[in-house]
Amino acid sequence: MRRRRAGALAPYFLVLPGGLWLAIFFVVPTAVMLSVSLQTGNVVDGFTQTFDFGVYADAITTYETQFIRSLIFGLIATVTTILLAYPMAYWIAFHAGRNKSNYLFGVLLPFFVSFVIRTVSWKFLLADDGILLGNLKDAGLLPADFHVLATSFAVVAGLTYNFFPFMLLPIYVALERIDPRLLEAADDLYANRRGVLTRVVLPLSMPGVFAGFLLTFVPATSDFVNAYVLGGTNTTMIGNIIQTTYLTNADYPLASAVSFILMAVLLIGIFVYARLLGTRDVLEMSTR
Amino acid sequence: MTATGHTATGHTATGHTATGHTATGDAATGAPPAIELAGVAKDYHSRGRAVPAVSRIDLAIGPGEFFSLLGPSGCGKSTTLRMIAGFEEPTRGRILLQGRDVTAVPPNRRDVNLVFQSYALFPHLDVAGNVAFGLRRRGVKGRELRERVGTMLDLVELSELAERRPRELSGGQQQRVALARALVNRPAALLLDEPLGALDLKLRQTMQIQLKAIQREVGITFIYVTHDQGEALTMSDRIAVMNRGRVEQLASPREIYERPRTRFVAGFIGTSNLLRRTVRAVDAAGPGGRAMVVLDAGADERLSAPLHPQMGPLRTGDQVELTVRPEKIEMSATRPDGPCCALRGRIVEVVYLGTYTTYTVATHGGTEITVFWQNSTDSTNVAERGEEIWLSWLPEHSYVLPESADEEPSTPRSGGPDPGGPPEGDAPRRNGEPAAGAAAQTPTATAAHPVSP
């Protein structure tokens, strides 16, 4: 009897370490953050718990532009990475032969360099008088006032570049797992190349695209490094707002409220996205 | 070179009847074979060396035939099937589908469908979606699509499960989905690559009977690849036994079993006893006008057997092998009378197997012979281990084969015996040309049709 009960509990022991980790480092800070967002006060006089929900309304009205901009930037960057990464993953999975791992390594190589250093190098490369634009301007190919930095393009391009492997790897794994006999079966059943791609390869790789979307869209939307390094005053993202409000202005309640809203928006967005795509299918296929 | 080619083309009309003859019984009516392989060979390249997977195959499979390619793994049967499906391109030779050369036609434009060994069902589609896949690609929609899919699901008894995903089905159900998915397209030929291999024995036996029934019902040519001789014998109209990329024998199941043409076939299909002996005499006019070969045997013993029809002439002193099936052998305590073969032996092993008992008998020459003894009424063993007994069988139940035919395989003539035919080297042209001729004739025939009132 005793032994059976211990046996039944065994699976929970497996969950325990991870569960504790999440409880301590995610649930507790989230609760604290929620609590802080409902406090009033300042750094000098201290904060008191007032349960003033007005701060959420303030946050939305004040930073509406940045919220929307972040979602748009995140979405554009994510869609662009899908468009860039999918064909590449497809090629590596189906046509790279035995050099698959070499190509994958090649794609990942730049990402061994620190995120910040990579972004700063972009700034160096794309500077108004940098090695790229400067030379083109000297050659008279570009007008003297042409610039890339401090534009939305620069920020989105940076996001696209920095999150590329998070899209490529899950798509690659999904494509790699497709049984080549399914492609032969489609071919045998009169599907032309396009038919094989749209009716078999694409649906079967959706779990990878779904995972890549999550792994790219969430951090890209809340990113602040790209907007900070490559952007200007008109490209501020919500991540920058949180950073400034928290570290510079020390307005902890407002910073917490903005973070909370961002989290809620992303969760709702993902939920809707999963619904549209059909989570059941995605999960079923990934456990095939 | 050109001149030869030109002359050959000129002979198309006569050539057409020639293929009809060399092909199957059905082809005698003049209809082109459903599938024809003319001198088909496939080499694989491994470290710069060409390794033959299929050495040279000439086959003609008639419309509506259940045809099996039988052989051990690595004999080239799957490669042959994949060439017919279009997944592999032959290194040499041509493949004709209903008289049309499809050697260079990709799989998606070939009117054949393959049932994969692993089924290869689309996991993202339900049963109905899987079955409808091929029809949809060919632009069938709406009511016709629903009706054809529905009829096919009824045929394989899966209508209730139309909305299930493949992963929610048992192995046998998945197998039937795979079959339905291919059959629904009404292909000119259905190719099956060991489709029952993943099922357990009981289910496999049920499916064999169902497959044969379905084939009879739809009337589509089936080409069935298997390494299971029982499966091939149960279902096929004809079997091509393959070994090392060649066809060793092509005949009906009964013919293959009763008259294996080579030592390999004798050993691969069922159990065969092989006795290596020297020819003592050849009687050219034996019973039924067939040549009988008398072999060396001990005192009182007698060994004679008909010469295999496809074997060349033998001389006294030649080394040959006599083959006889274990169930054809009788055992008795005294020497039997009559013109039968008789050998003395001592029983070395008795194994009771329910419906029959197997006896292993050592002859005086030292060869061990297996005997299957039906346990019909008397449940006691007819003889015990260690007993001296006589083995006997009718000469026509045995055959003389050339010695070690599998070590140096003679080039098989899969088109059947054709003693008056041209030498082997001419075969591809002979088989190939008529098809081109048939293709050339077809437009004339169709053109003539509308003109006539």
Side-chain angles (χ1 to χ4, degrees):
Chain A
M1 194 66 189
R2 245 189 102 76
R3 184 174 294 170
R4 181 178 291 176
R5 193 178 299 152
L9 286 175
Y12 297 100
F13 291 120
L14 299 176
V15 177
L16 203 63
L20 278 177
W21 186 271
L22 281 180
I24 295 168
F25 296 107
F26 176 71
V27 178
V28 173
T30 307
V32 169
M33 194 170 84
L34 183 64
S35 152
V36 169
S37 73
L38 298 174
Q39 291 174 356
T40 318
N42 58 61
V43 207
V44 183
D45 306 327
F47 294 93
T48 45
Q49 198 76 47
T50 54
F51 297 101
D52 176 14
F53 282 92
V55 70
Y56 282 87
D58 278 356
I60 290 172
T61 46
T62 318
Y63 301 119
E64 195 189 344
T65 326
Q66 285 82 1
F67 268 119
I68 291 171
R69 185 184 290 140
S70 297
L71 289 172
I72 290 172
F73 280 11
L75 202 63
I76 295 175
T78 308
V79 171
T80 316
T81 46
I82 293 179
L83 295 179
L84 293 176
Y86 198 99
M88 196 164 178
Y90 181 90
W91 187 84
I92 297 176
F94 293 119
H95 298 287
R98 72 181 76 135
N99 288 324
K100 278 177 187 176
S101 39
N102 293 343
Y103 286 111
L104 276 184
F105 183 73
V107 171
L108 293 182
L109 199 58
F111 296 89
F112 285 89
V113 177
S114 141
F115 179 53
V116 178
I117 301 290
R118 257 182 292 137
T119 315
V120 172
S121 329
W122 265 56
K123 183 175 185 168
F124 176 70
L125 277 176
L126 297 177
D128 295 356
D129 297 311
I131 43 171
L132 191 63
L133 296 189
N135 285 330
L136 285 173
K137 283 174 185 173
D138 288 348
L141 293 170
L142 287 173
D145 60 346
F146 184 86
H147 66 283
V148 174
L149 287 182
T151 62
S152 304
F153 174 80
V155 178
V156 172
L159 290 171
T160 304
Y161 166 69
N162 277 313
F163 291 101
F164 187 76
F166 296 97
M167 186 62 81
L168 184 100
L169 285 178
I171 294 179
Y172 168 78
V173 169
L175 289 171
E176 167 73 42
R177 276 174 41 146
I178 296 177
D179 184 347
R181 278 166 298 198
L182 293 178
L183 309 186
E184 282 187 349
D187 194 5
D188 184 60
L189 294 164
Y190 321 116
N192 51 25
R193 292 173 73 114
R194 187 198 162 103
V196 174
L197 185 69
T198 57
R199 302 290 166 180
V200 180
V201 176
L202 219 48
L204 286 175
S205 61
M206 278 326 271
V209 176
F210 181 81
F213 190 99
L214 286 186
L215 291 175
T216 305
F217 180 69
V218 173
T221 304
S222 43
D223 180 72
F224 62 93
V225 174
N226 286 282
Y228 180 75
V229 177
L230 302 173
T233 43
N234 292 327
T235 61
T236 318
M237 290 174 70
I238 204 67
N240 305 94
I241 298 296
I242 296 171
Q243 192 200 13
T244 334
T245 320
Y246 193 86
L247 293 179
T248 315
N249 303 350
D251 189 346
Y252 301 147
L254 186 62
S256 301
V258 173
S259 301
F260 230 83
I261 294 166
L262 178 64
M263 205 167 94
V265 167
L266 287 176
L267 280 176
I268 292 167
I270 287 155
F271 183 73
V272 171
Y273 164 70
R275 261 306 162 86
L276 287 178
L277 203 77
T279 332
R280 180 176 163 265
D281 279 10
V282 167
L283 293 177
E284 242 177 40
M285 279 187 300
S286 49
T287 55
R288 169 166 64 93
Chain B
M1 216 42 218
T2 343
T4 332
H6 198 76
T7 332
T9 333
H11 282 295
T12 44
T14 40
H16 187 58
T17 31
T19 8
H21 182 69
T22 47
T24 65
D26 302 281
T29 57
I35 287 185
E36 200 176 339
L37 306 189
V40 169
K42 175 77 185 174
D43 295 338
Y44 282 114
H45 291 275
S46 153
R47 288 174 202 155
R49 249 163 40 100
V51 182
V54 172
S55 292
R56 225 200 94 146
I57 290 196
D58 293 281
L59 279 181
I61 299 164
E65 195 174 2
F66 197 122
F67 190 92
S68 289
L69 292 169
L70 172 66
S73 60
C75 72
K77 57 190 194 303
S78 285
T79 306
T80 306
L81 197 73
R82 289 175 60 80
M83 286 194 284
I84 299 172
F87 295 128
E88 309 277 351
E89 209 177 318
T91 314
R92 289 176 295 281
R94 303 194 308 155
I95 296 170
L96 297 117
L97 188 60
Q98 293 178 321
R100 196 170 70 92
D101 190 335
V102 295
T103 317
V105 175
N108 61 15
R109 282 191 271 133
R110 267 190 212 197
D111 195 15
V112 292
N113 288 115
L114 178 61
V115 176
F116 289 78
Q117 184 172 11
S118 58
Y119 315 139
L121 299 177
F122 302 118
H124 59 296
L125 299 175
D126 61 14
V127 168
N130 266 282
V131 175
F133 193 92
L135 294 177
R136 286 210 168 104
R137 300 289 82 71
R138 287 188 148 184
V140 179
K141 358 178 166 15
R143 213 170 119 186
E144 195 196 343
L145 180 75
R146 279 196 303 277
E147 278 176 7
R148 283 178 70 174
V149 171
T151 315
M152 194 43 66
L153 288 178
D154 283 343
L155 182 72
V156 296
E157 295 164 18
L158 282 171
S159 309
E160 324 276 274
L161 306 176
E163 277 152 39
R164 292 268 188 94
R165 294 293 171 97
R167 54 187 241 107
E168 299 168 319
L169 302 176
S170 71
Q173 289 165 340
Q174 291 187 20
Q175 205 281 324
R176 282 182 282 152
V177 177
L179 186 66
R181 184 178 73 173
L183 267 184
V184 75
N185 307 297
R186 297 176 194 149
L190 187 75
L191 315 175
L192 302 104
D193 187 8
E194 310 222 10
L196 308 182
L199 306 179
D200 62 66
L201 183 66
K202 265 273 188 293
L203 193 55
R204 207 154 63 216
Q205 287 167 342
T206 319
M207 282 304 302
Q208 285 172 18
I209 295 162
Q210 278 192 15
L211 257 183
K212 182 71 188 168
I214 287 172
Q215 194 260 343
R216 218 176 276 130
E217 192 168 330
V218 297
I220 290 175
T221 310
F222 274 36
I223 302 178
Y224 193 95
V225 159
T226 183
H227 65 270
D228 183 322
Q229 39 139 333
E231 231 166 74
L233 292 174
T234 311
M235 295 186 285
S236 318
D237 295 320
R238 284 193 308 159
I239 300 173
V241 182
M242 289 186 68
N243 183 32
R244 298 185 191 175
R246 293 167 186 275
V247 173
E248 292 259 335
Q249 186 172 9
L250 191 157
S252 69
R254 179 177 290 270
E255 176 84 10
I256 295 243
Y257 186 82
E258 305 265 341
R259 296 183 206 172
R261 199 170 68 84
T262 64
R263 189 198 155 119
F264 172 80
V265 176
F268 190 74
I269 315 280
T271 315
S272 277
N273 291 301
L274 289 167
L275 284 158
R276 182 172 298 195
R277 293 297 163 108
T278 313
V279 176
R280 188 189 287 168
V282 180
D283 180 4
R290 274 195 305 198
M292 291 293 283
V293 182
V294 182
L295 303 172
D296 255 352
D300 288 351
E301 291 185 335
R302 193 180 132 88
L303 270 184
S304 67
L307 189 64
H308 199 285
Q310 274 146 11
M311 220 179 114
L314 283 178
R315 278 194 308 262
T316 307
D318 282 351
Q319 282 284 320
V320 293
E321 276 180 319
L322 179 139
T323 169
V324 58
R325 295 284 182 190
E327 70 274 13
K328 307 285 189 193
I329 304 175
E330 297 275 339
M331 292 189 300
S332 53
T334 54
R335 190 190 189 286
D337 300 328
C340 57
C341 296
L343 275 184
R344 229 195 290 265
R346 194 170 50 81
I347 297 175
V348 292
E349 198 65 75
V350 180
V351 179
Y352 177 76
L353 287 168
T355 49
Y356 62 92
T357 304
T358 67
Y359 292 86
T360 309
V361 181
T363 65
H364 285 180
T367 317
E368 291 199 338
I369 290 187
T370 307
V371 180
F372 294 162
W373 195 267
Q374 198 78 23
N375 297 329
S376 40
T377 46
D378 193 357
S379 61
T380 56
N381 288 340
V382 287
E384 298 297 331
R385 207 159 76 88
E387 265 184 64
E388 290 280 336
I389 46 113
W390 281 91
L391 298 171
S392 60
W393 61 88
L394 294 173
E396 56 264 38
H397 285 155
S398 58
Y399 265 96
V400 165
L401 298 170
E403 194 187 22
S404 308
D406 58 341
E407 274 168 29
E408 212 176 5
S410 57
T411 316
R413 276 174 222 169
S414 36
D418 194 1
E424 202 59 27
D426 278 353
R429 201 190 308 143
R430 190 168 56 91
N431 283 344
E433 282 308 331
Q441 280 173 351
T442 318
T444 335
T446 41
H449 190 67
V451 176
S452 58

